[in-house]
Amino acid sequence: MSMVRLSRAGRLAASIALCSIALMGCSKKAEEKADVAKSQIVARLGEDVVTTQELDNEFRVAQVPADKRKDPAVVRQVLGELVSRKYLVRQALDAKLDREPTVLLDLLRARETVLAKAAASREVAKKSSAIVGSDVDAYISSNPMKFANRQVASIEQIVVPTNAASQDVFEATREMKSLDEVAQKLTALGIAHSRSTGALSSADIPADVFDRIRQRQADDIFLLRGQPNSVFFKVNTVETRPLEGEAAARLARQAMQVDLARSEASLASVEAVLAAKYEGDYAEIMKIQAPK
């Protein structure tokens, strides 16, 4: 009888020991996970945290090169902006702004925009992966002004923030014969601008624009409007600088990917219109016009 009790007691002690070992193992794993989680946190704002994954994503969105992501000045700027956004988000949530109808619609739109971009990017990436060397060669051959006959114009320019100047301002400078006149007009109107030298390549701007550059008169002043800046410029010289080899192939692939993105966006727009069923007055407004 006493032997049986001792055996049971031994088994109980062994079980307790095994449980202790298991608990120690679980505790150690939990501590390891906690250490990993702690190492992934770069900042805390009350109950909110900023993780290394979020910071890496900010670098990606801001297109910060990999070799600059440890630069203290870059980290300070990007992380500071991320922390500021997190802080304002917490204030918005505490004020229950996420329940307001317009905010809800904006959040829905932001989600749809991200998902739509992801879907389009996936299709472009899939088709881009099918581009082979012969496709690149064919593109280079069919676009001589971008490659074999590429021309580069050396220019003097005045850069103006587009939003700072009205259409009237651009119209007022149309007949001016020098950049000095343009600069004087902008200064008189109190419009910020900067003056410098630069270059324009036939590979980067529309063919009709570069044709005008080649047919220019000595005192012609050109205007390229865009966002965020517009540029007044005068052409000094134009020379042929062929683009060849790996540099040409790289540019050709990039251009082909841009064309694919545009084509994909156009195709998706057509498919969406065909798939949608419009209601009420919108059915007539959105009715597809048959070609004449």
Side-chain angles (χ1 to χ4, degrees), residues 131-133 135-141 143-150 203-204 241-257:
I131 296 175
V132 296
D135 297 324
V136 174
D137 292 340
Y139 185 89
I140 291 174
S141 177
N143 291 276
M145 288 302 292
K146 291 181 181 291
F147 302 100
N149 299 334
R150 185 185 71 145
D204 302 325
R241 295 184 194 172
L243 190 64
E244 302 170 329
E246 185 57 36
R250 184 166 56 252
L251 179 63
R253 282 187 176 276
Q254 292 172 352
M256 293 171 77
Q257 288 171 349

Side-chain angles (χ1 to χ4, degrees), residues 46-119:
E47 296 179 357
D48 298 319
V49 298
V50 177
T51 66
T52 54
Q53 290 89 342
E54 288 178 293
L55 181 57
D56 287 342
N57 193 55
E58 291 297 307
F59 287 138
R60 178 187 66 82
V61 172
Q63 297 183 334
V64 176
D67 61 339
K68 295 291 185 181
R69 296 184 180 186
K70 297 296 184 181
D71 185 316
V74 174
V75 172
R76 190 180 302 111
Q77 179 181 345
V78 175
L79 183 55
E81 291 173 356
L82 176 55
V83 166
S84 296
R85 189 174 75 232
K86 287 265 189 183
Y87 176 78
L88 290 172
V89 167
R90 174 48 56 190
Q91 287 190 325
L93 293 174
D94 290 344
K96 297 183 172 55
L97 297 181
D98 57 322
R99 300 181 187 180
E100 293 189 0
T102 54
V103 175
L104 284 171
L105 288 171
D106 286 344
L107 290 171
L108 176 61
R109 185 180 186 280
R111 178 178 182 274
E112 290 176 344
T113 299
V114 170
L115 289 173
K117 184 178 179 180

Side-chain angles (χ1 to χ4, degrees), residues 146-284:
K146 291 181 181 291
F147 302 100
N149 299 334
R150 185 185 71 145
Q151 295 188 333
V152 177
S154 173
I155 65 171
E156 295 177 53
Q157 62 185 2
I158 293 177
V159 180
V160 181
T162 300
N163 295 337
S166 65
Q167 178 61 30
D168 291 341
V169 171
F170 290 119
E171 289 293 336
T173 60
R174 184 179 296 276
E175 301 303 324
M176 293 183 178
K177 297 300 183 181
S178 73
L179 290 181
D180 288 338
E181 288 184 62
V182 174
Q184 289 170 7
K185 182 67 174 179
L186 294 173
T187 300
L189 293 171
I191 297 174
H193 58 279
S194 61
R195 191 165 177 172
S196 63
T197 58
L200 291 175
S201 167
S202 61
D204 302 325
I205 63 176
D208 60 328
V209 175
F210 211 87
D211 283 341
R212 287 173 53 206
I213 289 175
R214 289 188 297 177
Q215 297 166 13
R216 72 193 183 282
Q217 300 297 317
D219 57 355
D220 280 348
I221 301 297
F222 297 92
L223 169 64
L224 283 178
R225 296 185 64 174
Q227 287 294 343
N229 297 318
S230 293
V231 181
F232 295 94
F233 66 93
K234 179 182 183 298
V235 178
N236 291 328
T237 61
V238 176
E239 59 182 32
T240 301
R241 295 184 194 172
L243 190 64
E244 302 170 329
E246 185 57 36
R250 184 166 56 252
L251 179 63
R253 282 187 176 276
Q254 292 172 352
M256 293 171 77
Q257 288 171 349
V258 170
D259 290 345
L260 280 173
R262 289 173 179 161
S263 175
E264 193 62 34
S266 178
L267 178 61
S269 178
V270 171
E271 290 177 342
V273 170
L274 293 174
K277 305 298 180 185
Y278 299 99
E279 303 290 338
D281 293 340
Y282 297 101
E284 183 64 25

